[in-house]
Amino acid sequence: MSYAVHHDLSGDPITASSDAARLAWNDMLEALLAHAAATPEHLARALAADPDFALAHAAKGLMLLSLARAELVAPARDCLAKARMATLLRPVTRREAMIVEALALWLDDQPRRAAERLEGILLAHPFDVLALKLSHGLRFMLGDQAEMLATLNRFAPGFGESHPLAGFVHGCHAFALEERGFYAQAERVGRRAVALSPRDAWGRHAVAHVLEMTGRAEEGIAWLGDGRDIAHANNLRFHIFWHLALFRLERGETGEVLRLYDEEIRSEPTDDYRDIANGASLLARLDYAGVDVGERWEELAARAEGRVQDGRLVFADLHYALSLLGAGHGDGAEAIARGLIEDAKAHPSIERRAAARSGAFAAFGLIAFHEGDYDEAARLLGSARNGLIAIGGSHAQRDLFEQAYAESLIRAGEHERAAEILGERLRRRGGSNLFAARRLAQLRGRGAGRLAALAIASTPLAIAH
């Protein structure tokens, strides 16, 4: 088949066979950055218009791996084979070849090297939104916040307002800033991102993270609104409603939290790990608050049962274990925890070995908690605490493990350590956090000692919840 060198939305050359393939590819790029549900459809259109489009095959493989599902590894390998065959049928640019190489590296259990290969593309093609977005996602999964921000700090400022996808890039920058604690700058960049690209669900989500981490529930509820702005989104919309539920939970509106859970967060009973994580972490928070969640754990556990042996992402494994424990299915959770120990010893991926070490402590800590052995839970969750960033996910998502640690300390009678952890939590959130405030008041009621008294005295506004 003949081909021509076309240019994508960022002006980068792509070796596609037709203008139809180019147009479908451009639609895919915008949809990918917008987290639009239509992204796979646009990619399928590009491949239908040009079955030998190497770049599209490689991009599809990378997207499949990002879903962290064991059964998608073989299809991703098929994408790599098709991409490599396509490069033999027609010349491709060095940029396109590097994206194929990134897929090969990830399939070879070298995700960090895959991210580095994607970022290497940006040195010669600083407006390559595909490489930028894929590396951003990979760094996020690896918990590599420093490199995630370094890449965006370097390349996002070059995207002026005339670039058609500038807003989406600034949304990525906002999230990277937020995860490193640069809250004021993250909020400013994120709000600008959404103003430039109203379909930027990721940028909207980044600002929600800022408002969560700085204890501004009222502003968070106003910012997220009724969800119409994210109606185009894929399952990221479930996660954004999860953020809305956290803001409602912060106000003590547990009935509304359960409504959001049923009608938005788990309105589609998928087994995507991100959707499971939304559900499990919210139900756990409600459990800690003494709310009866009914039979909701059973639905999550039924999905998690099929993922016990997945072993693709420690963040996912821990939320599968949490789901199983919530429904009383301890055997499945223990199988996951034992698998993490084995992976910590011998997995071919350096990154998974590192994540599995802390993940195993956390998994066994959750098991101990559910068995009522709070001393052991506190010991194990405390051991996991400083290394959990390696499992990926955001600070807001990993906060569930911090809450479990604090609960364990309180129930184990380690009140001074609990007060210390809760006091730190309040200070980080500007003195406003219902979870910490209620538990500090509970400790004060028990006469829990000097640290509890000091923490409570220093945060009078928090107690007013």
Side-chain angles (χ1 to χ4, degrees):
M1 182 180 286
S2 64
Y3 77 96
V5 176
H6 296 278
H7 290 82
D8 66 16
L9 273 175
S10 284
D12 286 315
I14 53 173
T15 49
S17 65
S18 66
D19 204 46
R22 177 188 69 84
L23 291 171
W25 178 256
N26 281 344
D27 287 344
M28 190 284 296
L29 284 180
E30 191 277 344
L32 175 67
L33 270 75
H35 287 257
T39 306
E41 174 192 330
H42 296 313
L43 185 55
R45 280 174 46 226
L47 285 167
D50 182 2
D52 298 320
F53 190 0
L55 178 60
H57 285 297
K60 181 179 178 181
L62 287 161
M63 291 179 207
L64 288 173
L65 291 181
S66 74
L67 297 174
R69 299 166 71 93
E71 74 274 19
L72 296 182
V73 175
R77 289 196 188 283
D78 184 54
C79 289
L80 177 60
K82 288 177 178 175
R84 283 175 165 166
M85 180 60 69
T87 65
L88 300 176
L89 297 175
R90 74 171 75 131
V92 297
T93 65
R94 178 61 186 142
R95 165 182 171 256
E96 291 171 309
M98 289 175 76
I99 288 176
V100 177
E101 291 164 8
L103 173 57
L105 285 166
W106 198 351
L107 282 166
D108 194 35
D109 287 320
Q110 300 182 74
R112 199 175 307 277
R113 285 191 62 201
E116 289 166 356
R117 190 61 48 92
L118 291 166
E119 290 151 9
I121 294 169
L122 295 167
L123 298 174
H125 300 275
F127 298 111
D128 184 351
V129 292
L130 177 69
L132 189 148
K133 183 66 173 175
L134 291 173
S135 79
H136 182 62
L138 241 175
R139 293 292 186 186
F140 179 44
M141 292 175 77
L142 292 169
D144 197 347
Q145 299 170 345
E147 286 302 319
M148 184 168 70
L149 180 57
T151 297
L152 271 301
N153 276 345
R154 182 169 189 176
F155 295 104
F159 283 79
E161 295 191 7
S162 61
H163 191 288
L165 302 175
F168 299 110
V169 173
H170 294 307
C172 291
H173 193 197
F175 182 72
L177 286 163
E178 181 277 327
E179 286 298 289
R180 292 292 283 174
F182 298 105
Y183 296 133
Q185 187 182 355
E187 182 174 357
R188 185 170 63 252
V189 171
R191 289 182 183 273
R192 176 175 174 243
V194 173
L196 284 173
S197 299
R199 276 165 53 89
D200 184 15
W202 192 249
R204 190 172 297 280
H205 151 265
V207 175
H209 270 268
V210 173
L211 299 174
E212 163 70 21
M213 298 305 292
T214 53
R216 294 152 65 193
E218 298 289 342
E219 290 177 68
I221 291 167
W223 170 248
L224 294 180
D226 60 8
R228 277 181 292 186
D229 294 313
I230 55 167
H232 68 281
N234 56 19
N235 63 329
L236 179 61
R237 73 186 188 278
F238 304 143
H239 180 66
I240 291 175
F241 277 110
W242 175 83
H243 277 281
L244 182 59
L246 292 189
F247 292 133
R248 293 292 187 183
L249 186 59
E250 178 65 17
R251 296 196 343 174
E253 298 170 2
T254 55
E256 177 63 7
V257 172
L258 289 171
R259 186 194 70 78
L260 286 168
Y261 183 96
D262 294 336
E263 297 180 13
E264 303 291 354
I265 296 163
R266 290 301 289 167
S267 60
E268 297 177 23
T270 76
D271 67 346
D272 185 294
Y273 80 87
R274 296 160 296 193
D275 304 341
I276 296 287
N278 294 333
S281 64
L282 187 56
L283 292 185
R285 284 169 167 85
L286 288 165
D287 275 351
Y288 299 157
V291 177
D292 181 1
V293 301
E295 301 298 311
R296 291 175 178 87
W297 279 115
E298 292 293 342
E299 182 269 321
L300 288 181
R303 304 292 178 272
E305 287 284 4
R307 297 284 156 202
V308 169
Q309 302 299 328
D310 257 28
R312 295 296 301 168
L313 186 68
V314 175
F315 176 87
D317 297 332
L318 289 177
H319 286 88
Y320 298 146
L322 184 64
S323 301
L324 292 163
L325 289 168
H329 301 184
D331 289 349
E334 287 186 22
I336 289 171
R338 288 193 299 271
L340 289 170
I341 287 180
E342 292 305 311
D343 285 351
K345 294 176 183 174
H347 197 276
S349 167
I350 295 170
E351 292 83 5
R352 182 161 177 92
R353 290 202 300 273
R357 280 193 286 274
S358 293
F361 280 121
F364 280 108
L366 292 173
I367 290 168
F369 185 94
H370 280 270
E371 290 177 347
D373 187 348
Y374 300 119
D375 289 309
E376 182 69 352
R379 184 184 72 79
L380 291 166
L381 290 167
S383 297
R385 190 175 182 229
N386 290 334
L388 274 181
I389 191 171
I391 72 171
S394 66
H395 289 300
Q397 289 172 311
R398 290 190 306 275
D399 185 55
L400 182 279
F401 302 103
E402 184 82 349
Q403 291 192 25
Y405 179 44
E407 285 287 329
S408 300
L409 289 168
I410 292 168
R411 298 182 192 195
E414 296 186 39
H415 294 160
E416 293 211 349
R417 177 60 177 153
E420 186 180 337
I421 296 294
L422 294 166
E424 286 174 9
R425 180 184 184 84
L426 273 174
R427 286 189 291 277
R428 286 198 306 270
R429 287 167 168 77
S432 179
N433 181 249
L434 185 58
F435 174 87
R438 281 183 169 170
R439 280 147 187 82
L440 282 169
Q442 176 187 345
L443 292 177
R444 179 181 56 184
R446 293 177 180 176
R450 183 179 57 83
L451 276 173
L454 286 173
I456 292 161
S458 68
T459 52
L461 292 177
I463 304 306
H465 278 283

